[in-house]
Amino acid sequence: MAEVANAPMVLTPEELQRITKRTRPSAQARVLDHLGIPHLRHPIDGSVVAGRAAALRALAAATDLPGKDREEASNGLNWSKKA
């Protein structure tokens, strides 16, 4: 629990790369948009800045049990329904 309290407010560049599997900021931003993780671009160097708490909330919502706060996929498939 202490390590969470001492964690930085924003994701580190290494964490962003691990989450997005991308190194370029423009590509990272596209993946974060797709994952629903709010982020900003740094005005000086264009790097991606994403808050840790927002990222954790978005990732937790995406991995919750099927049906909970999840919409039907854009291709019409709903994995929460049983055949």
Side-chain angles (χ1 to χ4, degrees):
M1 186 65 95
E3 56 201 37
V4 173
N6 293 330
M9 222 168 99
V10 296
L11 297 175
T12 65
E14 293 79 20
E15 290 171 323
L16 281 168
Q17 187 172 354
R18 189 174 53 214
I19 290 170
T20 63
K21 306 288 191 229
R22 302 289 187 266
T23 55
R24 290 191 333 245
S26 58
Q28 289 176 339
R30 282 193 305 271
V31 173
L32 292 175
D33 282 337
H34 182 75
L35 293 173
I37 299 174
H39 61 280
L40 300 171
R41 298 292 296 270
H42 195 282
I44 302 218
D45 62 3
S47 62
V48 175
V49 179
R52 181 172 306 282
L56 288 173
R57 277 193 306 272
L59 292 172
T63 58
D64 276 345
L65 294 174
K68 184 177 185 306
D69 298 330
R70 296 181 81 176
E71 296 178 14
E72 194 170 285
S74 59
N75 61 2
L77 297 176
N78 185 347
W79 295 105
S80 64
K81 292 183 179 179
K82 294 182 181 177

